[in-house]
Amino acid sequence: MDSQNLDTYYAELISTYLSGNASEAQVAELEAWVLADPENKKHFIALKKAWMLTALTKENQQTVAVEKAWQKTAGEVFSEAKVRDLKPSVSSRTWWSVAAAIIVLMMVSFWFLKNVLEEPRKS
């Protein structure tokens, strides 16, 4: 077997052992593998810790009512008051800026037309 297949094999063997479903022959094989190399022992301990942490989180896990949580969140996010808050409000400063731009445009237009219309009279 190549290295990857061996890793998969021993990971499955460790899983079988930790779940309590390993036969005596499998337990003996796993013990021999763990004792054969310090890296194997580290790997076994890491998987055992992960197994135990997974078991702890499953025991402490609370069931979440997804639909109820979504309704609450959607009600908060998409309520009419929140949607109104998202609409841009036109401030008085914006109105003054628009009015000033219109006045400047009118003055430039008036000056331009006055100069264009007076030139033919001067000639």
Side-chain angles (χ1 to χ4, degrees), residues 15-120:
S15 174
T16 304
Y17 170 77
L18 293 174
S19 67
N21 296 323
S23 66
E24 288 183 27
Q26 289 173 321
V27 171
E29 182 181 0
L30 182 60
E31 286 176 355
W33 179 77
V34 169
L35 296 174
D37 186 6
E39 286 299 315
N40 293 349
K41 187 174 183 177
K42 285 181 187 177
H43 187 70
F44 174 77
I45 291 170
L47 286 175
K48 185 175 180 180
K49 285 180 182 178
W51 184 275
M52 292 171 67
L53 287 173
T54 303
L56 288 175
T57 56
K58 283 183 180 178
E59 289 173 6
N60 296 331
Q61 195 174 40
Q62 297 176 350
T63 55
V64 177
V66 175
E67 188 62 32
K68 185 177 177 182
W70 168 248
Q71 293 299 329
K72 180 181 176 189
T73 304
E76 291 174 3
V77 173
F78 300 116
S79 70
E80 262 187 63
K82 299 271 183 191
V83 172
R84 269 189 252 127
D85 290 345
L86 294 176
K87 292 180 183 175
S89 61
V90 181
S91 66
S92 61
R93 183 177 179 172
T94 305
W95 286 113
W96 282 109
S97 299
V98 170
I102 291 172
I103 290 171
V104 168
L105 184 62
M106 287 174 60
M107 289 175 62
V108 169
S109 298
F110 179 73
W111 177 81
F112 180 76
L113 289 173
K114 181 180 177 196
N115 287 337
V116 169
L117 293 175
E118 284 185 7
E119 279 185 30

